[in-house]
Amino acid sequence: MITLLSASAAIDRLTAAIGRYAAWGVLAACVVAAANAIARKLFGLGSNAWLETQWLLFSAVFLLAAPWTLAVNEHIRIDILTGRLSERRRAWLDLAGHVLFLMPVAAVVVWTSLPFALTSLAQNEGSSNFGGLPQWPLKLLIPIAFGLLLLQAMSQIIKTVAVLAGTVRASPGPASPVGSSPNGEPRS
Amino acid sequence: MTAFIAANMAPLMFAALVGCLLLGYPVAFSLGAVGLLFAALGIELGLFKPDFMQAVPERIYGVMSGETGTTLLAIPFFTFMGLILQRSGMAEDLLETVGQVFGGMRGGLAYAVIVVGALLAATTGVVAASVISMGLISLPIMLRYGYDRRLAAGTIAASGTLAQIIPPSLVLIILADQFAMPVNLMYRGALVPGLMLAGLYALFVFAVTLWRPDAAPGLPPEAIADREADGSRGLTSLAVLAGGSTALALLLMADSGVHGADRIVITLALTIAIAFPFAVLNAMVLRRAGVVLISKLAERVVFVMVPPLALIFLVLGTIFLGLATPTEGGAMGALGALALAGIKRATDNDPARLNWTIVRDALERTAKLSSFVLFILIGARIFSLTFYGVDGHKWVEHLLTSLPGGLYGFLLVVNLAVFLLAFFLDFFELAFIVVPLLKPAAEVIFRTSAEALALAKSLGLETAVVGGKETVLDVTPLIIWFGVLLAVNMQTSFMHPPFGFALMFLRSVAPAEPYTDKVTGRTTAPVTTAEIYWGALPFLAIQLVMVAILIAAPGMVISATRTPVTQVGDTQPSGPGPNADTTKPPTAGGLSLPGTPPALDGAKPLPPGTPQGPMLDLSVPPRI
């Protein structure tokens, strides 16, 4: 169990680092969007490559930050019924969710998106927009992100099992809405 | 049994979705799991081909490449902007100064909260920031001077929630995306109702002060800090400056031919541009020479109003004038907020206004928010792949179009359902799960129901006989109206006890223990959760009144969507440029199928002069 828990901690560190680095993509996308707007207005420049760069950056942000968001429990839940359950019961439900919901979804997406992305890479598929970027980096992000999500699911399962087995004290339960608001507000 | 399942896939799927969501597992993955489970079932029953699931990556890729329109990119930009503004202290400066202006009046602090709430709402779109700032700053002052606790709490929560309806709000972006409507029009349609809602809140406070003067007393004179040399408050000077600049701005705008929402935003920007030189002159030159041009209070008001009004112009002004798409407006707003925070840091010499920690923190929170929002969308699209595959959309459409009462029956049922669902769903879930189910039925009803036809005619929208049936030709204005209606209604999801987010935020900053007031030295009782809940109720009622007003007076929204300056949405006014913004026909997001023929709105000839719906450049093949 201890080995598993340290593996889980390593996964958490990895996904958190990836998420934190990816977050800077927001600023980059911001600069690209503003520069694109100004260049287009003032000099009549502007291209689909710039626009697709924003989408590539934004996709990288939300896809690569997803495992980290899961680890810090900020994906929205509807806990109107389960919020009142004991911590143990919620841990059981979480375990079921990880195994029955998250892992199958992540696995199916990895399984179907890998050939999807590799075909695009092999063909060096271009954009359907004039002057756009190659599409394979965007498509390759899908199996990478869902692969990481699968990894994170395993880490979550280890942590939840440890809680149920009493090896560690309960991790923070389902975040209260104050903890994970729709507006990105931190708990205060 | 098998036959029963095969025949009732859609209702079974819907029931399974509700059941799974209630298990409390993250919504994004529950949606995806239900979708895939029923896809597997469908393959097993022979309803789908065995390679059905190969469409899944295509759907995710659709979300990532902006297939549903480019507007979702605006989400991280506006979120980042709001978070930076929150940390820059703009809200605090505004509250303090506006509190000084209204403070002496009965109910003054409550009016200040409403005014600042509306101003913050027009700059950001982030509810939490406003509620938390006002809860931290205004609530203790209101308690100190004996405000009714329920009134104080309710005003703060409701004013903070205005960020959801006054553009540039996230909910309007997402609704526009889900209805495949230009955000631009959604913003225009929502501005006047949003401001009106703020007005109704103020009216309610006024009514309370008449009925129970002690519920919202004016501040005692010693609590108002700024004084002129002669001991006056300088209000006359402020009134002259404000009145003069506004009059001049209105005069300048008189022949501009700009109307509605655009006019409001531009007039505001002009007003502050006129007043600003006076304040600078007063601060830099005249005071040193001993001449007083305007009072200190007036000067301060001008200086605190510049940042929000500049941002409002930078974001909304450029979007309304067609200078920028909403996405670009968001990006420029975010950079503008960074610049303003930097200027604040320099002028106040206060590194707490902007530093690397703040930027990194804001970026990381934006990334997490983008992630959970977009994952709900991805989950919804995986769900809908199967749900549409089993004709679930037709089932829901049939349920909704067979409601009695035509248009008004539909609106009543839908609004009631959204109001009730808002008790336990927040607006992201409502927008991504519920709205796409409503969309097909809404289009049918707005096109052909007798009430919609009568309404369209009374508002001057074109109708014609298409395929033997009288039809509203361009339903865009009606859909925008419906969207604004839903947006106002969804505000209630922030105010519903016990799970409303605005109430939660307020709870997190309101005093929970008895504390000693640092000015009066009296021990002050904490604000109880029950007081916050009771305080929210009248404002919830006002939000519902606003829904009713909008249903009764659709012209308020619909006329705003027909401003003659620019009609098209997230597109460049310079015509179809090389930018993909223009070349991608917005197909319905959320639950729609990939590659829905984009010609739904555009196939019918539009009469000349009517504003176009979602722009369709038919010279370019749709992206599939």
Side-chain angles (χ1 to χ4, degrees), chain B residues 355-393:
Chain B
N355 52 50
W356 278 119
T357 319
I358 290 180
V359 175
R360 198 185 59 215
D361 193 43
L363 285 172
E364 289 181 357
R365 276 156 57 191
T366 307
K368 285 187 280 189
L369 176 126
S370 308
S371 188
F372 81 65
V373 173
L374 270 291
F375 264 76
I376 296 179
L377 179 60
I378 288 177
R381 286 178 66 85
I382 297 179
F383 175 82
S384 68
L385 181 67
T386 318
F387 193 63
Y388 276 45
V390 298
D391 283 340
H393 55 310

Side-chain angles (χ1 to χ4, degrees), chain B residues 403-429:
Chain B
L403 289 170
L407 176 66
Y408 293 101
F410 171 74
L411 288 178
L412 188 71
V413 169
V414 165
N415 276 297
L416 202 63
V418 167
F419 177 75
L420 293 177
L421 284 171
F423 270 100
F424 59 97
L425 296 184
D426 70 56
F427 84 81
F428 286 118
E429 293 153 353

Side-chain angles (χ1 to χ4, degrees), chain A residues 7-9 11-12 150-160:
Chain A
S8 152
I11 295 174
D12 289 359
L150 206 54
L151 206 59
Q152 188 64 50
M154 291 173 200
S155 166
Q156 298 303 107
I157 289 172
I158 294 170
K159 284 184 283 185
T160 317

Side-chain angles (χ1 to χ4, degrees), chain B residues 79-89 337-338 341 354 358-359 362:
Chain B
T79 310
F80 180 61
M81 176 182 171
L83 292 172
I84 290 290
L85 282 181
Q86 183 198 357
R87 298 289 289 269
S88 75
L338 275 176
L354 181 71
I358 290 180
V359 175

Side-chain angles (χ1 to χ4, degrees), chain B residues 569-589:
Chain B
D570 202 348
T571 182
Q572 284 86 50
S574 48
N579 223 305
D581 250 320
T582 46
T583 52
K584 285 178 193 169
T587 51

